[in-house]
Amino acid sequence: MLSKEDSRRLAQLERQLRRDDPDFCARMRGDSPARRRLPLSLVLTGCVIWAAALILAVFGWWGAAVVAGVWGTVIVAALGYRCRPGRDPADPEMFPPPW
């Protein structure tokens, strides 16, 4: 059992921690992280690249169409990986470390 002074000191430390690092407190409470919004610019870039791939394929430039299609797919896959549920939105790294 904590003494009155220890209880007061613990409450003071809790208030200070809530004020200094609210994200840490939210993680300790078990709050689920908010979903990240999709970056609209990257979604539009992927759509434009896929449209360009279709146009290149219609004109018969198959090599360029394949390259553009692959890059469009890579952009959309990176968006899906980056904005997946359960990922910490405060984490600036897109990919985990290799070890």
Side-chain angles (χ1 to χ4, degrees), residues 33-80:
R35 283 195 69 170
R36 291 184 69 162
R37 291 181 40 186
L38 288 175
L40 187 59
S41 61
L42 285 179
V43 171
L44 291 175
T45 301
C47 291
V48 167
I49 290 174
W50 276 342
L54 288 173
I55 292 169
L56 290 170
V58 167
F59 285 122
W61 294 355
W62 293 104
V66 167
V67 170
V70 167
W71 276 110
T73 304
V74 166
I75 289 172
V76 170
L79 277 172

Side-chain angles (χ1 to χ4, degrees), residues 1-14:
M1 178 100 173
L2 294 175
S3 68
K4 210 172 198 182
E5 178 62 28
D6 290 338
S7 296
R8 187 190 63 77
R9 179 70 179 142
L10 181 60
Q12 181 183 10
L13 287 172
E14 287 175 1

